Amino acid sequence: MRGDTRLRELLTEIAPPPDVPEAQIDAARIALHDAYRGVARPVTHRRRWSLAGATAAIAVVVVAVAVLVPGSTPSVDASLAEIALATRGLEAADLPAGSFVYSRLDRTVLTGRQIEEGAPESEYLLSETVDRWVQGAVEETATTVRSATFFDRDLEAAYYAAGLDIDDGVGETTTRRVSDIANVKDVTKWSGDTSTLRRQIDAELATAIDPVLDEDIRTLRLVQELMDPRLNAPPALRAALIEIVGGLDLETAELADGSVLVAVEYEHPGIGSFLQEMEFDTAGYLRVSRLIAVEFEPPLPGVPLRTVVDQAVWSRPSVVDAAGDFPKSR
């Protein structure tokens, strides 16, 4: 990080950056908000945006190493093919009547708001933990806002002096129960056969043509939705989804624990360039989704380059007897 900062200082000395009008920066922030789905809590007296759920993309620049898997077209990345094969050998967990599927989400998101009335927006990272229990269309969540992390100590001091940590609910846990979850995929309707699943995904994407997003990116977004631990996708479906991902133009790397990292770099005109990463573990679960800001366009003052602006870390789903229960292995 210090190297990046010094490089920017050197470039500034050689060629000072242009004076970007405040209106242009505000417009970029608004575009950034529109481009990504927000999950920030509403506030009554200060404007706020959040870089949540960001996987939108226009152009993908990647390199992949692939291997041809029998019965699979197109070819599938070798590392992902290995995980998919191992996943197909697993047995689906039993879900007794009345039981719940538990999962845990640790998330950190870049958030922006006015620290003082009339002042420009300032950016910081807001982290929270969500414990979730799902039974059919019933969902109960316990959300704990863990911390607010700043890039500037003076802004941090002003934030707490203004009591904005109270607005954000830092240190608090909120429990919420919903009896009819909206817009949740039914995993029983999605095939564990890769060829059939590919046709289903193509049909799903064809129902809502997007003139902006690349089809591979839209596919990745749908895969992430179907692999959300709350849905508890069975092994065959997880394996097929991983093979779908492995057939895209992606850069992959094997991690020390056997997991596979998938990386996608893309440009979003007027907003900047980003690197989207996803990690799949050895049992075929989506473990991490991470969005890294390679460069903002125009620059977002105070936010260093290569900042992780949206990160979600999921546990594997577990079956528990009731909402509020935790798995023994937690």
Side-chain angles (χ1 to χ4, degrees), residues 32 131 177 190 222 248 253:
L32 195 61
D131 292 298
R177 188 179 181 93
W190 296 84
L222 180 54
L248 304 176

Side-chain angles (χ1 to χ4, degrees), residues 22-33:
E22 186 65 30
Q24 184 178 352
I25 295 176
D26 289 341
R29 286 198 176 99
I30 294 172
L32 195 61
H33 173 73

Side-chain angles (χ1 to χ4, degrees), residues 72 75-77 80-81 83-85 87-88 185-202 204 216 218-229 231-248 250 262 278 280 283-286:
S72 175
S75 57
V76 177
D77 174 87
L80 291 175
I83 284 184
L85 181 62
T87 301
R88 286 192 184 279
K185 299 293 184 186
D186 181 356
V187 293
T188 64
K189 295 181 178 180
W190 296 84
S191 177
D193 174 74
T194 305
S195 297
T196 302
L197 179 61
R198 186 176 289 110
R199 290 193 293 271
Q200 289 179 309
I201 288 177
D202 289 343
E204 176 83 359
D216 280 0
R218 297 178 66 209
T219 298
L220 278 177
R221 294 180 68 177
L222 180 54
V223 167
Q224 179 167 324
E225 186 176 357
L226 292 172
M227 294 192 79
D228 189 307
L231 301 182
N232 196 26
L237 177 55
R238 297 201 307 274
L241 288 168
I242 289 172
E243 289 178 349
I244 294 292
V245 173
L248 304 176
L250 300 169
V262 172
M278 299 168 69
F280 298 93
Y285 289 103
L286 176 60

Side-chain angles (χ1 to χ4, degrees), residues 8 42 44 62 72-73 79 102 124 127 170 172 175 187 196 214 220 234 237 244 259 291 296 302 323:
R8 288 196 299 272
T44 57
V62 289
S72 175
T73 303
S79 299
Y102 166 81
Y124 56 100
S127 299
V170 175
E172 297 181 0
T175 301
V187 293
T196 302
D214 178 89
L220 278 177
L237 177 55
I244 294 292
S259 300
L291 185 71
F296 287 108

